Structures are given as C-alpha cells and as structure tokens.
Amino acid sequence: MGNTLACSLYAVIFALTIKNYFFPEISVVLVVLATTVLFTASNYRGQAEALKVITVMNIVELAILIGVGVLGVMQVEPANLEPFAPMGLGPLLPTMAFIYISYVGFDLITVAAEEIIEPAKNIPRAILITLGVGVAIYLLLLYVMMGVVNYTELAQTSTPFIFVADVLFGPWGRWAGVIATIMASLSAFSVTLGASSRVLFALGRDGYVPEVLSRLHPTHNTPHIALLVCAGIVVLLGASGIVRLLASASSFGYLIAIGVVNYAVIALHQKMPALRRPFKIALYPTIPILGIISCWFFVPLLEPQSLLLGTGLTAVGGVLYLIQPENRPDLGALPAVVHRLKLRIQSYWRPHMNLLIIGGGSQGRNIADRLLKQDEFRMVFRSSEYQITFIEQDEATCESLEQRYNVPIYQGDGAKQEILEQVEPHKMDVAIAATNSDERNTIMALQAKRMGIERVIAIARDPDYVSLMEDSGITCISAPYATAAMVENFLDRPGVADLFEIESGIASLIDMEVPVNGKVVGRMIQDIDIPEQCVVAAIIRDDNFVVPRGRTEVRSGDHVVFVGPSDAVQEAHNTFSSEQETA
C-alpha cells in the first residue's frame, strides 16, 4: 500500500513539475499515464538496464542537492533560524508524520532481498548507509533552506527547494532545482514501481492474493502480471493529482508496515529461536520496541482522509490474512457449504511448493541445487517454484549454506520436535531427510510425518529402514548416483514417477552433464556402449533441445537424459560420466 501510493505521488510530482515549468497547458493525468506506461515497459523487461539510468539520475540529483547545500551554507542568516518552532510544536509533529515517506528509501532495499548477494551483510549495510547519507543531506538542505529565506516566504511556494536555489543562484539555480526534482521523482518512481510489483508477487506466492499474481514472465523472468496490476493502481491514484493526500496515505502505509516489522522481529525470536540470524540486533528487544513506538505514535497525527483510506485498505489486508487456514482454524466451524467454498477458493490460491530439506551436507545441497536450477530443460517439466528451508545441526555447514543460498536455515537436530515446530510443518508441502545416515534419515522422516507433513521423502539404502518407512507412507530413494534427479522426478513429474515406480527400481528418468574430458566426448551415440534396455531420450545443448540419433555426436557440457531400468541407467550414467585418464 505504501509503495503504490508513493509511486503515484512521485508520478504526480513529476507531472506538476512539467506543468509548472515547461508546458502549463498539459494535463497532469496524461503525464502520469505516459510516465507509468514508460516505466512499466522498462520494469517489464527487467531492471538491469533501468538501474543504469536510475543510477545516473541519482548521481545528477545528489550532485545538485549537495552543491546547493554546501554553497548555500555561506549565505545562511542566523536570524532566520530563530525561534526553532515559530508556529509551536502543534503543527510540527503532524508534519513529521506527513514527510515520513521522504525517508523510507531504505525499505526498497529489503524488497530485493532474494536477488542480493550475501544479503545478511549487504542489506544491513545498505540500509544504514542509505539512512545515514539521506538524513545528513536532508539536515544540510533544511538548514540552508530555512536559513537563507524567512519561513514566511518559504511557506508561500509549493516548490521550496527550487525557490531557494533560485534565490541563491538565480536562473541557473532554478533550473538546477527543476532538474533535481525531475531526476528524484523519476528514479524514485521506477524503483518504487518495481518494488510494489515484487511485494504483490510475494503475496501471491505465499497465497494471500490470487496465485496468478506470482507468475513470472517466461522470457524476462519478471513478475509481469503483478507489475501491470500495480501500474493500473498507480494511474488510478495518480489521476487525483492531490499530492498531500497521496503523501499522507503513503506515510500511513509505511508507518503501519514498519511498525509491524519491528513487532515481527520480537515474535519470530520467540517462535523460531533456532532460525539462523546472521544480522544481530543491538540491544534486543529495546530497539524493536522503540521502532514500534516511533512508527505508530505518528499514525493518529496524519490527515483524516488518509486515515480512512489506510484503515480501509488495512482491513482488506486483515481479511485476506485471516481467511488462511493456519491463521484462523475456527473458520472450520462455519457451515459446511461456506467451508467448501473456502477450500475451493484456496485451491486457486495455493502457494508455490514449500520444501524442507533436513540435512545440509552434500546430499541436501545436491537436491537444492537441482531444484533451484532454472535451465530450459527443467522449465519444461517444472510444476512450481520451490521455496526451500534447511535444517542443519553443524555450525560450519550452516555458514556454508548461508553463503550458497538465500533461504531460511534453522540450526538444530532435525529429529527433535521443538526444531520442527519452529519450521511450521503445517506450511511445508514436502520434507526430505537427506543426511548420509539411514538411521537418522529414518528417525527424521518419521518425526516429520508425525508432525503432519503430508509428503515425506527419505534417502535410505538399508532394506530394513526402507521397508519401515514405506509402511509409514514415506517415499524412499536409494540410488546414490541419481538421488537429486529422482527427488526432482518425484516432485515435478509425479505422472512419470507413478508410471515407472521409481523407488521400486523398475525404471528411472535422470539426466547428467557430460564432463569436459569425458571419454564419450566427440563420439557418436551409436559408437558408445549403452545397455540395450537404456534409451538416450534427449540432449540439452546450449539451452537447445537436440533429438538424439545414432550419428549424434556427444559434446562436453551436454545434458543427456536417460530412461530405462535402474541398473541399465546406472551403467549408462557411469559410461557417460567417466573421464579420460591423464598421464
């Protein structure tokens, strides 16, 4: 809510700047529409190119802001700064709430958390740097603006920064101020529009809004449907042209949301104490408590219209949250017809598959790597995006997982009930016990099953453990050379898994990558000793599908797909993965 309203605000500020300084007759609505269309198209194709332009605009804007601030210090009249609050504290506090939106650029950093390298280090750094630099520049500029002209003069203009720049430097200053305003509004608009769509995408992925909003564009890999919905809302809100209402309502959204985030920090520490938290909060829980107070204290001071709008939208969000079964178990007590209707609606709102991997060793990492891989071959069969959570007991392995994946990691014994409870097993679609110990995998799989996770997979080779787990409804996978591939088959191609009875060894469908110095490199398929019952079903080469023929030459880096009985597939796998001996 805060992001979308802020986006509308930036579009209106840009439109009013164009209208006031370039084209007095132009329609504000038309400029808002054109701006939204342009930046929606940019975000639709991805942010890589857009970020280059945004970076240039931010550098220009900062250069002008800092230049006006530094040069303007020389012309400050101390008399203009007295008294500190000439109109008293009464108007000051509501104004602090009103301008809160000006300081929340740090919030946009967190939206891109899943795309940031080493988020545990880089997100806190970026937030603190953004706040530090932003507050410093604001204080400098406010000192200059209030000190160069009397507050009564400043109150007469709707563009105070441009007005002060004009007073300081004449026409050059005025046009520098105009350029800075345009750069600031457009760069903020583009980033905030992208952030809005990613928040809506995440809500769809988690099942709180229709799942269709979590779909990614097949080519650009952007949340295109969520982006178009946000763009439509931005145009509708921006058409009002009321800067004050948009700013106040947007501040309402941010103040409520960031207060909730501070509360969630405390709640999650209590609910999930074993969850790895690479960033340590100083003076916990004092800082989150102060965060809640400092945010929610200002909410009642906002404009009545924004309070009504914000409260209404928050109520809608509350309803969407409460209809989730894990949040309101008592909904099951409603009449059966209403309950069935709820279940039918939820069938269209199902989130992507949540996967719990117990064991972060080589076995668990191989499974995660395979399920998170986004190559073209897997996209053909992939039934959903996987949201992976790890449980791992070893400290060093947890640190390795943190560096490799941006996913939740719980440190503890995956066989213990208290650790599984923190993971919220009712939200997990599948659990995979993937340590190197059959005994531990059996215990963890049975515990996960007992905790209510419907589909449980375990890696096991000992027939005694296999029979014990299969009797409990647990799927066992025992072929060590193809464990990750068979897990993928079971999850993404259940029809194939059922047909081939993978766990029974009647047949397997796996793929492997031909090594650079493999013995089969440069040879034709007809010249390779492949078991008679095994078939080379496909070759994926440089993201292209190659139909294998007898005279097809195998190259290094090829992904070769085998189908056949387990023993035959294993033999073919060994042949294609063996490497040439070096002197």
Side-chain angles (χ1 to χ4, degrees), residues 67 149 366 555:
V149 298
N366 288 340
R555 302 177 186 175

Side-chain angles (χ1 to χ4, degrees), residues 58 62 101-110 116 122-139 191:
N58 282 332
L62 281 173
I101 183 179
S102 300
Y103 290 86
V104 293
F106 67 87
D107 177 73
L108 303 180
I109 298 167
T110 65
I116 292 177
N122 290 326
I123 289 180
R125 287 175 183 171
I127 289 175
L128 294 175
I129 291 171
T130 300
L131 279 174
V133 173
V135 170
I137 292 176
Y138 270 117
L139 289 174
V191 174

Side-chain angles (χ1 to χ4, degrees), residues 373-400:
K373 198 166 185 179
Q374 299 290 312
D375 61 62
E376 184 175 330
F377 168 70
R378 285 169 180 78
M379 291 300 101
V380 172
F381 295 102
R382 187 124 294 167
S383 59
S384 61
E385 292 293 318
Y386 292 104
Q387 308 301 312
I388 290 177
T389 298
F390 275 103
I391 294 180
E392 170 56 47
Q393 195 167 6
D394 181 68
E395 171 86 17
T397 305
C398 284
E399 292 178 358
S400 175

Side-chain angles (χ1 to χ4, degrees), residues 3-4 6-12 14 32 35-55 57-58 61 108 111 181-198 227 230-231 234:
N3 283 335
T4 309
C7 206
S8 302
L9 171 66
Y10 302 140
V12 171
F14 171 70
V32 169
T35 305
T36 305
V37 169
L38 176 64
F39 283 95
T40 299
S42 174
N43 279 275
Y44 190 88
R45 295 181 59 85
Q47 289 195 317
E49 295 300 322
L51 285 174
K52 295 177 183 178
V53 178
I54 291 169
T55 301
M57 289 193 291
N58 282 332
E61 170 201 350
L108 303 180
V111 175
T181 303
I182 291 174
M183 297 292 104
S185 56
L186 289 182
S187 61
F189 179 90
S190 180
V191 174
T192 310
L193 181 62
S196 301
S197 65
R198 279 158 175 74
L227 177 63
C230 289
V234 167

Side-chain angles (χ1 to χ4, degrees), residues 358 393 412-416 433 435-446 459 465:
I358 309 174
Q393 195 167 6
D413 187 350
K416 301 294 185 182
T435 70
N436 292 321
S437 168
D438 284 6
E439 181 179 352
R440 284 189 54 76
N441 287 345
T442 302
I443 296 172
M444 292 187 294
L446 291 171
I459 311 302
Y465 290 122

Side-chain angles (χ1 to χ4, degrees), residues 29-326:
V29 176
L30 181 62
V31 177
V32 169
L33 177 61
T35 305
T36 305
V37 169
L38 176 64
F39 283 95
T40 299
S42 174
N43 279 275
Y44 190 88
R45 295 181 59 85
Q47 289 195 317
E49 295 300 322
L51 285 174
K52 295 177 183 178
V53 178
I54 291 169
T55 301
V56 172
M57 289 193 291
N58 282 332
I59 291 173
V60 172
E61 170 201 350
L62 281 173
I64 295 173
L65 293 178
I66 295 173
V68 171
V70 172
L71 297 176
V73 167
M74 312 288 186
Q75 302 186 43
V76 169
E77 295 288 342
N80 288 329
L81 300 174
E82 298 290 342
F84 173 73
M87 299 173 65
L89 294 178
L92 185 61
L93 292 178
T95 302
M96 292 172 67
F98 176 73
I99 66 168
Y100 185 79
I101 183 179
S102 300
Y103 290 86
V104 293
F106 67 87
D107 177 73
L108 303 180
I109 298 167
T110 65
V111 175
E114 295 181 354
E115 303 168 41
I116 292 177
I117 299 172
E118 293 191 70
K121 294 181 180 179
N122 290 326
I123 289 180
R125 287 175 183 171
I127 289 175
L128 294 175
I129 291 171
T130 300
L131 279 174
V133 173
V135 170
I137 292 176
Y138 270 117
L139 289 174
L140 173 64
L141 288 173
L142 288 172
Y143 174 75
V144 169
M145 291 166 65
M146 298 295 292
V148 168
V149 298
N150 189 270
Y151 78 93
T152 54
E153 293 183 71
L154 210 55
Q156 302 303 314
T157 175
S158 59
T159 54
F161 175 72
I162 298 174
F163 175 77
V164 171
D166 191 0
V167 170
L168 286 171
F169 309 112
W172 284 100
R174 179 173 67 252
W175 288 111
V178 170
I179 292 172
T181 303
I182 291 174
M183 297 292 104
S185 56
L186 289 182
S187 61
F189 179 90
S190 180
V191 174
T192 310
L193 181 62
S196 301
S197 65
R198 279 158 175 74
V199 171
L200 192 57
F201 161 81
L203 289 171
R205 184 181 64 187
D206 292 344
Y208 293 107
V209 296
E211 187 270 340
V212 66
L213 294 171
S214 68
R215 294 180 184 173
L216 295 174
H217 192 278
T219 303
H220 306 302
N221 208 34
T222 54
H224 57 300
I225 298 177
L227 177 63
L228 293 175
V229 170
C230 289
I233 297 174
V234 167
V235 172
L236 290 175
L237 294 171
S240 68
I242 306 174
V243 171
R244 190 174 187 86
L245 174 62
L246 291 173
S248 182
S250 179
S251 291
F252 177 95
Y254 282 120
L255 286 166
I256 291 292
I258 296 177
V260 170
V261 168
N262 279 276
Y263 168 76
V265 169
I266 300 173
L268 290 174
H269 268 75
Q270 295 175 345
K271 188 175 183 180
M272 302 175 179
L275 177 64
R276 296 276 298 182
R277 295 177 171 88
F279 177 73
K280 308 300 181 185
I281 299 174
L283 303 177
Y284 173 85
T286 304
I287 296 297
I289 292 173
L290 292 176
I292 297 170
I293 295 172
S294 64
C295 286
W296 290 350
F297 169 78
F298 289 106
V299 171
L301 303 178
L302 293 167
E303 292 192 334
Q305 299 94 323
S306 64
L307 288 176
L308 289 174
L309 175 62
T311 302
L313 291 173
T314 303
V316 172
V319 171
L320 291 175
Y321 179 80
L322 290 174
I323 64 174
Q324 301 302 309
E326 62 268 22

Side-chain angles (χ1 to χ4, degrees), residues 406-483:
N406 293 336
V407 300
I409 301 167
Y410 291 79
Q411 185 173 355
D413 187 350
K416 301 294 185 182
Q417 178 174 336
E418 58 267 25
I419 297 296
L420 287 172
E421 285 176 346
Q422 294 180 39
V423 177
E424 299 182 296
H426 61 280
K427 292 185 177 180
M428 294 295 164
D429 298 300
V430 182
I432 303 172
T435 70
N436 292 321
S437 168
D438 284 6
E439 181 179 352
R440 284 189 54 76
N441 287 345
T442 302
I443 296 172
M444 292 187 294
L446 291 171
Q447 185 73 283
K449 195 74 173 179
R450 191 179 71 82
M451 296 290 291
I453 301 179
E454 185 175 347
R455 299 172 66 188
V456 179
I457 301 173
I459 311 302
R461 299 173 182 82
D462 190 319
D464 293 335
Y465 290 122
V466 171
S467 59
L468 172 63
M469 287 188 283
E470 288 182 343
D471 290 343
S472 301
I474 297 169
T475 300
C476 292
I477 294 177
S478 58
Y481 68 93
T483 298

